[in-house]
Amino acid sequence: MLLTKIKTAYALGLGNILRVLSYRVGVKTGINPVRRLQAPLSQGDFFAPYKSKPANLSPVEAWRDDMLLFSYWRFPLGETPPAWHINPLNQKAVANAEKPWWQIPDFDPEVGDIKQIWELSRFDWVLAFAQCAANGDAKALERLNLWLNDWCTNNPPYFGPNWKCGQEASIRVMHLAMAARILGQTCDANSALIELIHTHLKRIAPTIQYAIAQDNNHGTSEAAALFMGGAWLCAMGISEGKRFERMGRKWLENRVSKIVMEDGSFSQYSTTYHRVMLDTLSMAEVWRRHWQCPVFSQRFYARCYAATVWLCTMANEHNGDAPNIGANDGARLLPLTDSAYRDFRPSVQLAMALFANKNAYGEGEWNLPLQWLGVAIPTDSLVEPQSKMFDKGGFAVLAVAKAKAVLRYARFRFRPSHADVMHVDLWLAGENLLRDAGSFSYNTDAKWQEYFPSTASHNTVQFDGRNQMPRLSRFLLGDWLTTSALEPVKSADGVNTVAAAYKDAKGAYHKRSLTLTENKLRVVDDVEGFEGSAVLRWRLTPGAWQVDGQSISNGKHSLTVSANVAISRFAIVEGWESRFYLHKEPVPVLEVEVQQAGQLVTEYSWA
């Protein structure tokens, strides 16, 4: 295990480890200036009455009568602002919320997942209230200012849990900026709002090295907030804004160059986190254009376009849903439409307009973010091949007619969060036939903490009852797999194929070959090198599946597994999936077990 930890540390990068250590030592000892920050308590009218003609655009329904958390959980919206330090799911309050943020623990078993505290303070409601105010709703504007004043009173600068995370502060900055754009109050912003932005930037800047060390969307979020907030302060005549703007631009260029790969793959290997990153870049570009700041580099825009194509390829055009691959914490930045949480089209449409001047989907509610933010809707349609390889990130997409299959294989330049190598997602139009389990929660009972990211929660083969990669900590796996063989995507006469293979640290070997036609997916698994058993799992769409020999059917679709060795077990068991954060529900899972090396052939057919 020691050797595994050493190799994993090397893979993470010495520079990143030093950044994290420096951050932790600096905060603990007080060397980091973040411990000495002071700022006035922002109070007053943050937003003025809306003076233009009503926008006459559809605002989101969320936050009218209910609070909407993680795009799933609803709670009645009272006359008074919410309690900012109470977990709404269990009504537990953060202890000592009046303390400086660095004295409050990251994980409190009594309160539960700290994300449940942070969610209200991401300011989704600022956007919703701003939309209503822009449509002439004076009460929405009154509520917006009331809530912001109450938030500031109960979250004085740098005290309490809502100041713990630089990314959370950054999301507030971005949402406040977009609200000002919606209300037309950027150039003549009220002093209380500019002061609040300044207070946030002072919190973000001293700890951005920690965000950079994560090689994930913490870095893009914090860099974007510094760039956007800094440009705003400059426009308002605050000299310190130039330093923030330069810092933000530098790190935004750096992050996009490093963690968005040439083919658009993102370091977190996650569809929902990919959307967080892409929405962040879209907001930064909207803001840059608004203030007519110098353009970013050609490399920046090329990576932004590639990242947009990646998400567009993953999402289906029928309902906008996409594979639930990788970590999923319920994040959805820039919620300017009532479209479903799992509808990725609004994000793709905005990014495609900004980074390619193309229209991905035509007319629809996915154009609302563009209209709210003053982005022209392009007339030229996007033309991209449906079947694609994203080899830098380890993804292959096969698409034939209404069918789409996604293969996840091992390309780990950055740390994986799920043991999901060789997972396959299958879609027919907007229906997810073979699916991923998701994440559920980052701070929950050990049983669920282990289950959701594990190999057993993915459509792949598990050897000897263990994970493909051992878990070293809550967010870190060891012995990162590498792909030992790859047969790239081939498309001809309505038949698409791809294949990949790996050998793990204990010598188990798995090669998976996919063939997709318009009415069948064929998967061939060659397995060897294991000691006792290999279990093939297919996570099915909920329904009344019936077993008949080595086949199952739900009346519409059938799945058959054959093998050139004896199948010791063929059974449907209960599994779990989480399509929304903190929500899980049962799903049927087919398990097929063999106890010797061989080949298994799966055929999933539909009419």
Side-chain angles (χ1 to χ4, degrees), residues 8 41 60 80 85 92 100 180 200 325-326 366 380 489 506 529 548:
T8 304
L41 180 67
V60 296
T80 58
H85 303 143
K92 300 293 185 180
H200 276 74
I325 288 175
W366 40 81
D380 291 342
V489 169
K506 293 184 179 295
D548 181 10

Side-chain angles (χ1 to χ4, degrees), residues 352-559:
M352 196 64 72
L354 291 169
F355 301 125
N357 195 29
K358 298 290 185 181
N359 190 317
Y361 302 111
E363 293 298 320
E365 65 176 335
W366 40 81
N367 286 319
L368 279 171
L370 286 73
Q371 294 170 301
W372 278 112
L373 299 177
V375 178
I377 301 173
T379 55
D380 291 342
S381 298
L382 173 71
V383 178
E384 283 280 348
Q386 291 182 303
S387 296
K388 291 180 73 72
M389 289 284 293
F390 298 101
D391 186 54
K392 297 296 184 182
F395 296 94
V397 180
L398 307 180
V400 180
K402 294 182 179 180
K404 179 184 290 186
V406 178
L407 173 66
R408 172 80 177 106
Y409 59 96
R411 286 284 193 249
F412 295 130
R413 284 179 54 195
F414 303 93
R415 56 177 171 166
S417 61
H418 283 209
D420 60 355
V421 175
M422 296 302 177
H423 169 82
V424 169
D425 240 66
L426 176 63
W427 292 75
L428 185 62
E431 186 178 7
N432 194 184
L433 305 181
L434 298 174
R435 50 225 283 153
D436 195 300
S439 299
F440 181 54
S441 174
Y442 294 161
N443 183 14
T444 185
D445 296 341
K447 169 186 175 181
W448 302 115
Q449 192 82 47
E450 171 62 25
Y451 174 79
F452 280 95
S454 71
T455 301
S457 289
H458 298 90
N459 296 323
T460 186
V461 176
Q462 182 180 28
F463 296 113
D464 298 321
R466 56 180 168 80
N467 278 327
Q468 297 166 334
M469 298 171 280
R471 182 161 297 280
L472 303 182
S473 67
R474 187 184 298 265
F475 298 115
L476 185 62
L477 300 175
D479 289 333
W480 299 356
L481 297 178
T482 58
T483 292
S484 58
L486 179 66
E487 298 171 17
V489 169
K490 295 180 181 178
S491 303
D493 300 323
V495 179
N496 285 358
T497 61
V498 69
Y502 76 85
K503 178 180 286 189
D504 70 16
K506 293 184 179 295
Y509 172 84
H510 181 194
K511 179 182 180 183
R512 172 160 277 187
S513 307
L514 272 64
T515 302
L516 181 69
T517 64
E518 64 177 330
N519 57 14
K520 181 186 292 186
L521 172 67
R522 188 172 191 264
V523 181
V524 178
D525 291 304
D526 294 289
V527 295
E528 60 184 65
F530 53 95
E531 294 181 0
S533 69
V535 177
L536 168 66
R537 289 185 178 87
W538 294 115
R539 304 176 56 81
L540 309 165
T541 186
W545 291 88
Q546 301 294 322
V547 177
D548 181 10
Q550 292 176 189
S551 297
I552 61 172
S553 174
N554 65 357
K556 296 187 300 180
H557 305 158
S558 63
L559 187 156

Side-chain angles (χ1 to χ4, degrees), residues 176-199:
L176 287 167
M178 294 299 102
R181 182 78 177 93
I182 289 168
L183 289 168
Q185 297 181 25
T186 54
C187 299
D188 56 351
N190 283 0
S191 59
L193 178 57
I194 295 302
E195 188 174 72
L196 184 59
I197 295 294
H198 196 175
T199 297

